[in-house]
Amino acid sequence: MMRFLLLFSRQGKLRLQKWYTPLSEREKKKIIRDMTTMVLARQPRTCNFLHWKDLKIIYKRYASLYFCLGVESEENELLGLEVIHRYVELLDKYFGNVCELDIIFNFEKAYFILDEFLMSGEIQETSKQTINRCIENSDMLQELSY
Amino acid sequence: MSDVVEKTLTALPSLLSLDSQPGSAKLSSTSKLGALIRGITELTSKHEEEKLIQRELASLKDQVSSPNTSMRQMKEAMVRAIYCEMLGYEASFSYIHAIKLAQQGSILDKRVGYLAVTLFLNENHEFVLTCYDYKHIIPIIIYCVYDTCNTPLVEEKLNHPKEIIRRKAVLALYKFYLIAPNQVQHIHNRFRKALCDKDPGVMFASLHIYLQMIKGYKDLTASFVTILKQVVSGKLPMDFNYHSVPAPWLQIQLLRILSILGKNDQSTSEIMYDVLDESLKRAEINHNITYAILYECVKCIYTIYPKTDLLEKAAKCIGNFVLSSKINLKYLGLKALTYVVQQDPKLALQHQMTIIECLDHPDVIIKRETLELLFRITNAQNITVIVEKMLEFLHQSKDDHTTIDLVGKVAEIAEKYPLQTMNTVFSLGGDMIQPDIPNSFLKLLSEGFESEEENKKLRLFAVDSYILLLEGETRNLPQRFLQVISWVLGEYSHLRNDLDPARVMTLLTKLLEMRQTSSETKTWVLMAMTKLCSGEASVSIARSVCEDLSSSMDTVQRQRAHELLLLSQDRALRSQLLPLCSDPEPLEVDSSLSFLDAFVSEALAAGAAPYKPPHQRQEELAQQKALSLEPYELSLPINMSSSCVTGRQSPTLMSVSSGLSGDSAELSHKGGSTTLKLEGVKRVWGREGYLSKKEPVEEVAQAEIPSPLSSPNQHTGASGTSSNTHPPIPTPEPEQEKQQLASSLFVGLGSQSSLCLVRADIYALHVAVFQYSLSVIRPVVHFEVMGMLSYQSSHKSHEVEFTYKLPLTNFIRPFTVSTEQYGAMWLAFSNDTKQNLNLVTDGQDSLTDTLNVLKGKLNLHIVEIIGMEGIVACRLAQDQPCLLHCHIHAGTLAVWLRSPVPDLPDSLLYHCQRALEGT
């Protein structure tokens, strides 16, 4: 099961956070701080996995943005990497050549896409087409209503 | 701050054409959020940012609380509030409005409201607790927070015509199951319906639940196998493909379920062999996702009831992982090895050189995973090297969690060399170690092994080494270690006859005077002193200590000091209370305290109030009170997140003082101060090691039961250093060191060398002589000859097993060659090893002397000695030669051994070393 997903920039600025287990604000802040310091300190050509307390951390950098996924220790690390990758693909399909600014200015959209992809810390839907259709449908609704 | 944007711009030039793109067309530069973000990026200091956000929050507050704000504006405001929270500023005023938005708005408004609530709140949030009374809010909170609503509502959705709704409903139930498993028990048949849903997505969602409670559903095995078969052969719609691999997430989920089902269950496992084989075969595409599936497949194969050819395929698969140049795959390979190595230690042998490389890998994570693997293959022979490697890592580790974990592991394997290792562990791990580790260690010392001799040796060694430690610098020793030291000295220093107790007392007094010593440790020290104080000098030391402590603020210390004073003066009482540890029987503790019966009845007769247990007293007290002063319990359950691990442990469980301080002095001694109260302590250390874990050594021994009927001339020479199936390839010289490390790490993992020789039936008064010739195929340091003698006596048959250890030297013969022949052969041989050995003498002819010793003990032939160099040759009983080149270098004998036989140089070197050490 996934515990959290964080997106942050190379400067350690948080861009998106999703928590799948209840945590207090203090715990969240500590995790965010620990993740940014640990992940940003990693040398090139090291593996994409880390240990943090009893969790596995899987991270990957796309352009200027780090995607950091916390999973329970029995999870499959490679699969975690593919979860991140699929999310990036979904963002890319929606925004078209996605970049950090897209996510900064339209973060609620990034959340909506994530919520169609993952639910309760598990994969809900893996098809790019289906997820995109869902998001586009709601965008259509929005345009109709205004 | 503005460089963030700049960097993004340079990284992605496509940004310039943003406006023409469909998604980002909505990137409204005029929106309030846009303005806010832009405003922030233009700032230069954190302080300015804070001011700006505070202003923003103030205006947001006005906006959301104004009755004129439309839903659309509210939605926009909510997005800004989310943004401010993400930057780390609290916008708690908006929480209630987020709930309202989720409840009242149109579908789109609801969506933003829902998003805001999930980001702002969780079920433990105090806001949710304060909302408890607002009955109408509860459903929406539950809806948002739990990702689910009350079960009947969700149940209804399970029948929804749209598959996406059904899927979400199933996932919602899954979440609900995780939170409160009992609440969904009545709808298990619904899950089965979901499993049979015509939409594969709904079926996939139901697997999450089944994975959690699969144990009760053995009957579904065949269905899961069928589903996996269909998935693997690509029967699902293309929509489910991921990079042209059919539904990988579904496959992995199914593999996990199957491995749980097939564990320790042969008949269930047999159903899945075919589909596992198929999965292994299908996963061919070179992509991360196929490796993820393969990894899960391998794990499953090693979890379920084993099948030989599947295991072989899986092992090959692991090989691909480990040898991969991609670091992520290597990591997973190590993880897989760690998982399977308990069942098949030989697998580690195949990859020993890779493992050695990973041990020195620049990436700490890889290193850590390698240590984890080594931990699993620890045995009697390689323990010291592995512990050394682990401690080395500990020195560098800064992370508390890693340290705790690793120290625990070291302690677990340390029993083979308890003292040396434990001492290092205690001083390194310090107060970080779990309290049960020193407990178990002391238990090991006090209960000991079967042989009294060995026990005594161990204890004496402990006393000696601790005295030495205390004489040195004690300031940096961790408290736990000091406690262990005090206990050992108190208990066992009498074993060392020539040791004056006063000397130990003085050393212990030093500990008491140290400022760093905690009051708990001081109690331990005082207890040790009480056991020790015999003789004039000790008593006077005790007296002065007691004087110092009689005014201590700590009641327990004062109590101990008082006891010390009294007992040091009354020898008879002391020896009765604290007998020397000679008797191995644990003390009987009379927990009913029946010996006090007379005293109690006397007191009762004199009019004392009968004893009431604490809970009863409290109850009565509460009844008397008109006002309850205790806080009410929280009405909503609060569960602590399991991810929150406290870094440090609370004080030791083992405190002698804590359990006893309330009782009278006499009672406490009877209770358990000579031996710790051990009844309740789980026995974790034993003769064979840490009992809860099965040692790999044992498994090897069990796996390799020699068959007594094998032919007498069968020669197996197995070695610890390389596997039989993979003879080591000649390695270039820089590898030498690694090879050596490998041989010390992986020793003892291969099959045991067992020669089964004799099966003789001896009848009374007959003498049977059996003669066999042995030849070596693979050299090892020692060969073990095993045999079985069976005979009949008065209608009973007896069997006697015998083993005999033959050192390699028995097979070595001198090899007479000329210097020229030697030279030619030297170049042709590929297996070599080098080491510096001790010289026998220091004098002029040290080389000759040393070589003569080797010649005498190992049966070697000295070919020639020229100045500081000498060449020596020998061969195995038939014709396999081994050449030694020796020269004196910096006061040692540098030897270089070469042979055409792989393990001969290493094994022979061992004997050379032994031969020279013995002199």
Side-chain angles (χ1 to χ4, degrees):
Chain A
M1 192 185 147
M2 288 166 251
R3 295 286 195 85
F4 58 81
L5 175 71
L6 302 177
L7 266 64
F8 48 84
S9 69
R10 266 194 310 184
Q11 287 75 25
K13 288 264 168 211
L14 190 64
R15 297 301 180 208
L16 186 140
Q17 52 174 337
K18 185 80 189 174
W19 308 90
Y20 292 105
T21 43
L23 293 170
S24 71
E25 286 307 311
R26 250 186 69 203
E27 288 167 310
K28 285 184 191 173
K29 285 218 166 102
K30 174 161 172 48
I31 292 179
I32 294 169
R33 203 175 47 240
D34 284 2
M35 286 311 114
T36 43
T37 40
M38 279 166 72
V39 169
L40 293 175
R42 293 285 284 167
Q43 300 294 314
R45 276 187 299 282
T46 47
C47 64
N48 293 60
F49 317 124
L50 286 170
H51 299 256
W52 184 82
K53 298 208 173 162
D54 57 342
L55 297 185
K56 287 272 171 57
I57 309 302
I58 299 152
Y59 70 93
K60 187 149 190 195
R61 183 178 147 181
Y62 289 87
S64 58
L65 211 54
Y66 281 92
F67 289 69
C68 174
L69 185 67
V71 298
E72 281 164 11
S73 58
E74 63 272 18
E75 285 291 323
N76 186 327
E77 286 88 345
L78 283 179
L79 200 64
L81 272 181
E82 295 314 299
V83 169
I84 293 177
H85 189 70
R86 173 59 27 133
Y87 183 47
V88 174
E89 284 178 347
L90 289 168
L91 290 172
D92 200 56
K93 188 157 171 94
Y94 180 76
F95 288 107
N97 232 339
V98 68
C99 70
E100 192 183 341
L101 284 186
D102 290 326
I103 295 169
I104 299 175
F105 283 97
N106 297 290
F107 65 87
E108 82 274 20
K109 290 280 191 278
Y111 277 116
F112 291 152
I113 296 172
L114 185 63
D115 285 345
E116 289 301 325
F117 175 44
L118 304 177
M119 187 173 167
S120 323
E122 302 285 355
I123 296 281
Q124 183 199 177
E125 172 65 69
T126 53
S127 158
K128 265 196 273 195
Q129 285 77 15
T130 314
I131 294 178
N132 225 43
R133 219 165 26 234
C134 280
I135 303 292
E136 270 164 11
N137 282 347
S138 64
D139 280 356
M140 289 273 281
L141 265 175
Q142 187 156 15
E143 270 154 34
L144 283 176
S145 66
Y146 300 136
Chain B
M1 191 70 74
S2 56
D3 67 322
V4 180
V5 183
E6 255 174 50
K7 277 182 185 158
T8 318
L9 281 168
T10 44
L12 295 142
S14 64
L15 193 69
L16 294 169
S17 56
L18 263 184
D19 288 346
S20 62
Q21 284 161 3
S24 30
K26 288 164 214 104
L27 191 156
S28 61
S29 50
T30 53
S31 78
K32 284 183 179 170
L33 175 70
L36 172 65
I37 295 169
R38 235 170 283 275
I40 290 170
T41 45
E42 278 158 17
L43 299 175
T44 48
S45 75
K46 185 82 188 159
H47 181 65
E48 281 177 346
E49 181 189 295
E50 200 174 326
K51 270 204 314 215
L52 181 82
I53 302 276
Q54 291 307 345
R55 261 206 316 277
E56 182 75 23
L57 285 174
S59 89
L60 266 177
K61 195 171 183 177
D62 287 345
Q63 197 187 339
V64 294
S65 45
S66 149
N68 300 324
T69 310
S70 71
M71 279 297 168
R72 189 180 174 185
Q73 285 164 328
M74 188 66 100
K75 198 176 75 178
E76 196 276 335
M78 220 35 85
V79 172
R80 270 186 292 153
I82 296 175
Y83 190 79
C84 292
E85 284 245 329
M86 185 159 68
L87 291 178
Y89 299 89
E90 199 185 302
S92 52
F93 59 85
S94 57
Y95 296 172
I96 187 75
H97 297 283
I99 292 175
K100 266 198 217 152
L101 190 65
Q103 201 180 14
Q104 296 162 355
S106 72
I107 259 197
L108 284 164
D109 305 330
K110 267 192 164 62
R111 188 151 199 193
V112 173
Y114 165 75
L115 176 67
V117 174
T118 49
L119 290 172
F120 291 156
L121 303 177
N122 62 54
E123 68 241 43
N124 294 344
H125 199 286
E126 59 177 358
F127 184 78
V128 178
L129 300 180
T130 55
C131 279
Y132 191 61
D133 281 340
Y134 295 83
K135 289 250 161 29
H136 62 284
I137 294 182
I138 288 182
I140 190 72
I141 291 178
I142 294 175
Y143 181 81
C144 301
V145 169
Y146 287 87
D147 277 0
T148 176
C149 48
N150 52 0
T151 29
L153 212 67
V154 178
E155 268 183 78
E156 209 175 278
K157 294 282 184 287
L158 285 173
N159 296 324
H160 200 276
K162 278 209 149 163
E163 64 271 0
I164 185 164
I165 307 284
R166 292 204 299 276
R167 191 182 308 173
K168 282 185 197 257
V170 172
L171 274 172
L173 280 183
Y174 162 66
K175 184 77 185 186
F176 211 90
Y177 175 85
L178 291 182
I179 294 167
N182 297 332
Q183 298 292 312
V184 286
Q185 226 151 29
H186 60 290
I187 47 167
H188 279 196
N189 58 332
R190 298 282 192 140
F191 298 147
R192 201 175 274 237
K193 209 177 149 215
L195 183 68
C196 306
D197 197 286
K198 58 180 186 294
D199 179 62
V202 181
M203 181 265 292
F204 174 40
S206 75
L207 292 185
H208 295 305
I209 302 174
Y210 276 105
L211 184 63
Q212 296 294 324
M213 48 176 210
I214 191 62
K215 287 247 167 68
Y217 291 93
K218 288 254 173 183
D219 57 319
L220 286 178
T221 313
S223 318
F224 289 126
V225 168
T226 321
I227 299 173
L228 183 57
K229 241 179 217 151
Q230 287 172 349
V231 176
V232 169
S233 49
K235 296 260 165 60
L236 287 190
M238 288 293 280
D239 254 11
F240 287 89
N241 282 10
Y242 176 84
H243 293 264
S244 58
V245 177
W249 277 275
L250 180 52
Q251 284 195 42
I252 284 173
Q253 201 71 359
L254 284 166
L255 285 169
R256 282 182 188 159
I257 288 178
L258 289 184
S259 61
I260 298 175
L261 285 172
K263 195 173 183 182
N264 301 326
D265 185 341
Q266 186 173 3
S267 58
T268 312
S269 299
E270 273 163 4
I271 309 176
M272 41 187 105
Y273 288 150
D274 282 344
V275 75
L276 289 176
D277 196 26
E278 186 72 18
S279 301
L280 276 183
K281 254 187 241 153
R282 292 269 179 169
E284 273 164 353
I285 314 157
N286 189 10
H287 188 279
N288 263 348
I289 197 79
T290 44
Y291 286 116
I293 297 174
L294 278 178
Y295 172 75
E296 221 59 52
C297 230
V298 166
K299 252 179 95 168
C300 180
I301 288 171
Y302 271 93
T303 311
I304 63 172
Y305 191 86
K307 184 175 187 237
T308 326
D309 68 316
L310 270 184
L311 287 180
E312 271 167 26
K313 281 178 193 164
K316 220 165 126 195
C317 221
I318 294 179
N320 291 342
F321 274 93
V322 176
L323 297 175
S324 166
S325 57
K326 287 184 188 152
I327 188 158
N328 286 341
L329 293 188
K330 203 176 266 279
Y331 171 89
L332 226 61
L334 287 172
K335 220 177 109 170
L337 263 184
T338 312
Y339 187 78
V340 304
V341 88
Q342 280 154 303
Q343 288 157 54
D344 189 2
K346 269 182 255 163
L347 215 53
L349 282 177
Q350 284 177 25
H351 302 294
Q352 45 174 319
M353 286 325 280
T354 322
I355 295 172
I356 300 287
E357 269 160 31
C358 291
L359 208 50
D360 287 326
H361 202 280
D363 188 351
V364 217
I365 303 296
I366 299 278
K367 235 187 203 174
R368 169 87 203 276
E369 211 56 38
T370 317
L371 284 179
E372 191 80 35
L373 170 61
L374 289 182
F375 167 65
R376 308 274 170 174
I377 57 166
T378 315
N379 62 31
Q381 284 128 304
N382 60 16
I383 179 167
T384 22
V385 194
I386 291 182
V387 167
E388 210 172 90
K389 287 278 160 198
M390 286 177 129
L391 294 177
E392 210 172 273
F393 188 86
L394 261 182
H395 272 296
Q396 299 157 1
S397 156
K398 288 179 197 76
D399 172 30
D400 280 3
H401 201 262
T402 318
T403 314
I404 293 173
D405 183 55
L406 218 56
V407 168
K409 293 209 161 109
V410 174
E412 205 169 297
I413 57 177
E415 86 77 35
K416 297 288 189 319
Y417 299 92
L419 274 161
Q420 296 91 322
T421 331
M422 285 314 285
N423 290 351
T424 333
V425 169
F426 280 131
S427 26
L428 274 179
D431 293 321
M432 210 79 98
I433 38 185
Q434 307 275 355
D436 63 329
I437 293 171
N439 264 348
S440 322
F441 176 63
L442 292 188
K443 197 171 155 64
L444 173 77
L445 268 182
S446 67
E447 289 187 350
F449 305 124
E450 279 126 48
S451 108
E452 210 35 61
E453 188 63 22
E454 211 170 318
N455 277 340
K456 201 175 167 199
K457 249 169 45 194
L458 185 67
R459 289 168 189 166
L460 274 178
F461 183 75
V463 170
D464 287 349
S465 61
Y466 290 158
I467 294 265
L468 211 66
L469 259 176
L470 288 190
E471 278 170 346
E473 180 56 70
T474 48
R475 211 165 302 160
N476 297 325
L477 295 178
Q479 298 299 320
R480 288 253 164 77
F481 194 24
L482 288 179
Q483 291 165 8
V484 169
I485 291 177
S486 327
W487 188 84
V488 169
L489 289 182
E491 203 71 8
Y492 297 120
S493 11
H494 68 90
L495 291 176
R496 170 76 62 221
N497 294 330
D498 51 351
L499 188 67
D500 181 10
R503 192 172 138 220
V504 186
M505 293 279 280
T506 327
L507 287 173
L508 289 175
T509 322
K510 238 173 62 190
L511 292 184
L512 283 181
E513 284 159 2
M514 240 165 37
R515 215 155 24 94
Q516 296 90 334
T517 316
S518 72
S519 61
E520 194 189 332
T521 312
K522 282 186 183 162
T523 333
W524 283 74
V525 174
L526 282 171
M527 206 55 233
M529 290 178 127
T530 317
K531 289 178 206 161
L532 277 170
C533 60
S534 56
E536 288 274 314
S538 316
V539 173
S540 77
I541 294 174
R543 196 169 296 135
S544 79
V545 166
C546 296
E547 270 164 26
D548 284 350
L549 285 178
S550 59
S551 56
S552 164
M553 293 296 283
D554 190 320
T555 341
V556 182
Q557 275 177 43
R558 227 163 42 223
Q559 171 76 19
R560 291 271 164 259
H562 189 59
E563 284 164 25
L564 170 59
L565 191 64
L566 290 183
L567 290 175
S568 66
Q569 284 152 5
D570 190 343
R571 281 192 74 158
L573 181 61
R574 196 175 66 90
S575 59
Q576 195 192 338
L577 285 176
L578 302 166
L580 295 182
C581 62
S582 52
D583 95 87
E585 291 300 310
L587 286 189
E588 288 281 322
V589 178
D590 184 358
S591 56
S592 67
L593 306 181
S594 57
F595 55 89
L596 284 175
D597 285 352
F599 176 79
V600 171
S601 54
E602 214 169 279
L604 283 176
Y611 174 76
K612 283 176 194 158
H615 61 89
Q616 198 183 342
R617 261 175 283 166
Q618 211 146 37
E619 254 169 45
E620 283 175 17
L621 211 62
Q623 281 164 2
Q624 284 164 10
K625 272 185 223 156
L627 274 176
S628 167
L629 297 175
E630 274 150 6
Y632 292 107
E633 277 177 50
L634 290 168
S635 42
L636 276 185
I638 296 189
N639 49 340
M640 296 299 285
S641 154
S642 57
S643 75
C644 134
V645 174
T646 44
R648 277 163 190 272
Q649 292 297 319
S650 48
T652 55
L653 299 172
M654 197 171 40
S655 150
V656 173
S657 59
S658 58
L660 305 169
S661 51
D663 302 337
S664 76
E666 190 192 16
L667 189 59
S668 75
H669 288 300
K670 283 221 167 119
S673 40
T674 34
T675 60
L676 291 163
K677 283 188 184 176
L678 297 173
E679 283 77 17
V681 183
K682 205 173 79 196
R683 187 179 156 89
V684 274
W685 293 95
R687 187 78 176 86
E688 298 79 25
Y690 199 73
L691 292 178
S692 64
K693 278 255 153 68
K694 218 170 166 196
E695 292 284 317
V697 197
E698 278 177 90
E699 274 175 40
V700 174
Q702 282 166 359
E704 303 293 333
I705 300 165
S707 105
L709 279 175
S710 51
S711 82
N713 276 324
Q714 183 194 7
H715 309 292
T716 48
S719 80
T721 56
S722 69
S723 94
N724 291 340
T725 43
H726 288 234
I729 313 150
T731 42
E733 267 180 50
E735 294 285 281
Q736 201 72 41
E737 208 174 305
K738 287 183 179 173
Q739 284 276 18
Q740 233 155 39
L741 179 59
S743 62
S744 52
L745 279 177
F746 298 98
V747 59
L749 283 180
S751 47
Q752 308 282 26
S753 20
S754 51
L755 294 172
C756 273
L757 281 181
V758 191
R759 183 179 171 84
D761 299 323
I762 302 171
Y763 298 98
L765 301 178
H766 287 270
V767 175
V769 178
F770 291 84
Q771 205 167 9
Y772 294 95
S773 67
L774 301 174
S775 63
V776 176
I777 288 178
R778 294 180 73 84
V780 284
V781 173
H782 293 287
F783 297 89
E784 207 160 311
V785 183
M786 296 182 167
M788 167 108 66
L789 193 70
S790 51
Y791 61 95
Q792 295 254 319
S793 71
S794 58
H795 312 296
K796 267 172 77 187
S797 63
H798 300 262
E799 284 184 337
V800 185
E801 279 184 341
F802 62 88
T803 59
Y804 183 63
K805 223 166 154 186
L806 284 173
L808 177 72
T809 42
N810 287 18
F811 297 89
I812 299 286
R813 305 283 180 271
F815 185 34
T816 330
V817 283
S818 69
T819 311
E820 288 74 31
Q821 283 169 318
Y822 182 100
M825 274 191 284
W826 180 260
L827 294 174
F829 296 163
S830 51
N831 300 294
D832 64 355
T833 188
K834 273 184 190 176
Q835 193 158 341
N836 290 343
L837 300 177
N838 293 333
L839 285 169
V840 185
T841 51
D842 291 326
Q844 274 283 310
D845 287 317
S846 56
L847 181 62
T848 321
D849 291 343
T850 312
L851 291 187
N852 278 332
V853 171
L854 287 180
K855 180 186 173 187
K857 288 197 175 173
L858 299 179
N859 224 353
L860 310 177
H861 170 69
I862 300 176
V863 183
E864 200 174 358
I865 297 177
I866 311 164
M868 303 297 262
E869 287 185 45
I871 51 176
V872 183
C874 69
R875 60 185 176 88
L876 282 178
Q878 299 83 35
D879 54 354
Q880 292 155 323
C882 183
L883 307 180
L884 292 85
H885 178 270
C886 316
H887 74 273
I888 305 245
H889 174 72
T892 57
L893 181 72
V895 289
W896 189 354
L897 289 87
R898 275 198 177 187
S899 166
V901 188
D903 301 311
L904 188 52
D906 279 317
S907 316
L908 189 61
L909 182 64
Y910 170 83
H911 286 287
C912 291
Q913 214 167 351
R914 290 295 299 272
L916 294 179
E917 270 169 15
T919 52

